[in-house]
Amino acid sequence: MALTLVARGNELASSREQLRTLAATASCTPFHARMSSAALAPLMPTGIQVFQINVGKFCNQTCRHCHVDAGPDRTEQMSRETAQLCIRALAGTDIPTVDITGGAPELNANFRWLVEQARALGRHVMDRCNLSVLLVGPQKDLPDFLALHRVEVVASLPYFRPAQTDAQRGDKVFAKSIEALGLLNRLGYGREGSGLVLNLVHNPVGAFLPARQEGLEAQFKRELGRQHGIVFNRLYTITNMPIGRYLQFLLESGNYEGYMQRLANAFNPAAAAAVMCRHTISIGWDGTLYDCDFNQMLDLPLKHHAREHVHLSDLIDAEIAGNPIRVAGHCYGCTAGQGSSCGGALREAAE
Ligand code: SF4
């Protein structure tokens, strides 16, 4: 299994070093200037539809492209106290969707409690699932739990062939993913009329942009169905963000400047107008608020008026709205081509 940047003592484990690298990129116009020329600066929220909770960096896998630098050695985990604050804050809003992510969010001791509480408030819940976690011993009843609570499963599967998936996510991860998808399918996930939604997420294995979503979705459906009898609802394609372990891969392989140039050349004003940070609030494992999960990993907290750091406890007392979103060079990953978020209907507005 690969090691996290932290375990390797790599200098890119520091968000400051990642931001320094992004700021020194020679091959593209600064992102805020590009947004200005598209009349999108400052970038403003359009109304929060998604309450995204990142419960921590612990994961059973160490994928090569992870923007979180998650892995088995990471100890950052959301506590019950912060999970309770999440639910208190959520209850004070009418935000319809709760999106739980990590690491492997299911391995957090408060994951099931968060799901139950959010569902009790009548909110739609999404679980960002790496699939192999469904086979981890103590999690064997997890598919039943997810089905019982009508949780939408958004599952990473880079490709429909083992070689590409294992190269990115680890040895035998493809086989485990297929086994986990089979478990979900048997419960009705991904099947017409069941109401149990199973969406897959594809990201490219190398330093290139994803192919068009519709064509790839048809290919995934055909190949996974034919070879493994797997069904699912939608395939989302995401662009690899030049942060975390993917940034390290780009630099190590000599692809960094070329990749950034590719992203900048593919800048799409329609995708830029529909980036997920405009309708998402992102909560870190310690309760700090961010505009998105990527800013979270770069330690760029949400700004509220003159304050540089806003915590969940502030959200309980005040509406966090109307403040410009913090952007930097990594944002080119969200504005290239068709855009890059797996927010379903909201994303489709960019296409
Ligand atoms: S990286 Fe975050 S802040 Fe930047 S455009 Fe994407 S979602 Fe918005």
Side-chain angles (χ1 to χ4, degrees):
M1 188 182 278
L3 292 174
T4 62
L5 295 173
V6 169
R8 278 183 258 167
N10 190 294
E11 59 181 5
L12 288 170
S14 148
S15 56
R16 192 183 293 252
E17 185 58 25
Q18 293 185 47
L19 285 167
R20 195 198 58 73
T21 302
L22 288 162
T25 309
S27 54
C28 50
T29 309
F31 186 75
H32 60 85
R34 190 70 189 82
M35 290 294 269
S36 285
S37 65
L40 284 167
L43 185 64
M44 301 299 288
T46 51
I48 303 305
Q49 299 291 310
V50 179
F51 190 94
Q52 186 173 60
I53 307 172
N54 189 316
V55 294
K57 301 187 181 187
F58 182 70
C59 189
N60 59 314
Q61 292 185 176
T62 323
C63 305
R64 275 178 71 204
H65 292 178
C66 182
H67 73 276
V68 177
D69 194 28
D73 60 297
R74 301 302 300 262
T75 53
E76 300 90 337
Q77 287 271 26
M78 183 173 280
S79 65
R80 174 57 68 97
E81 192 185 5
T82 304
Q84 284 168 336
L85 272 180
C86 284
I87 295 300
R88 264 186 68 199
L90 179 70
T93 74
D94 56 3
I95 299 172
T97 298
V98 175
D99 180 353
I100 309 181
T101 188
E106 306 88 347
L107 297 178
N108 181 287
N110 301 300
F111 172 79
R112 296 187 192 210
W113 184 84
L114 279 168
V115 170
E116 287 162 354
Q117 298 298 313
R119 291 294 293 140
L121 291 173
R123 313 304 163 94
H124 177 68
V125 176
M126 297 162 67
D127 170 30
R128 306 267 169 179
C129 181
N130 70 15
L131 291 174
S132 70
V133 75
L134 301 183
L135 309 179
V136 171
Q139 301 297 332
K140 286 265 162 68
D141 61 338
L142 191 55
D144 292 297
F145 173 84
L146 296 172
L148 177 69
H149 294 283
R150 320 294 289 173
V151 175
E152 174 182 341
V153 176
V154 181
S156 321
L157 188 70
Y159 208 55
F160 51 77
R161 294 204 178 99
Q164 290 86 341
T165 296
D166 289 356
Q168 190 182 125
R169 298 183 78 77
D171 212 20
K172 301 194 173 57
V173 168
F174 182 81
K176 291 180 190 168
S177 302
I178 294 298
E179 188 180 341
L181 287 169
L183 293 174
L184 292 168
N185 279 173
R186 279 195 281 287
L187 291 169
Y189 268 104
R191 297 195 186 282
E192 287 280 322
S194 71
L196 293 172
V197 178
L198 172 59
N199 293 322
L200 301 186
V201 179
H202 153 83
N203 63 307
V205 176
F208 45 87
L209 301 186
R212 279 204 73 79
Q213 186 164 286
E214 299 75 14
L216 213 49
E217 179 179 287
Q219 228 181 341
F220 264 68
K221 284 194 166 168
R222 190 174 58 244
E223 295 301 322
L224 289 177
R226 195 167 56 85
Q227 294 182 36
H228 307 285
I230 297 296
V231 294
F232 63 94
N233 296 99
R234 297 293 315 271
L235 177 81
Y236 299 129
T237 55
I238 60 167
T239 305
N240 288 309
M241 294 298 282
I243 65 174
R245 291 205 285 269
Y246 189 67
L247 175 59
Q248 193 267 336
F249 155 75
L250 289 172
L251 290 166
E252 195 180 67
S253 60
N255 279 300
Y256 176 68
E257 288 287 346
Y259 185 71
M260 292 304 289
Q261 195 162 31
R262 217 163 289 145
L263 292 181
N265 289 346
F267 181 86
N268 173 2
V275 283
M276 67 176 164
C277 49
R278 302 192 84 182
H279 57 76
T280 300
I281 189 161
S282 161
I283 295 119
W285 65 273
D286 62 354
T288 301
L289 304 184
Y290 302 84
D291 295 306
C292 73
D293 203 54
F294 306 120
N295 283 6
Q296 187 175 142
M297 299 314 144
L298 290 172
D299 289 321
L300 294 173
L302 181 145
K303 272 190 180 167
H304 188 44
H305 301 303
R307 294 170 56 192
E308 285 286 332
H309 183 279
V310 189
H311 191 266
L312 253 178
S313 46
D314 302 305
L315 183 62
I316 289 167
D317 301 324
E319 174 73 9
I320 303 287
N323 291 280
I325 292 161
R326 297 182 80 168
V327 297
H330 64 295
C331 298
Y332 272 119
C334 290
T335 58
Q338 300 169 83
S340 184
S341 81
C342 3
L346 286 158
R347 181 222 160 121
E348 278 149 22
E351 298 177 331

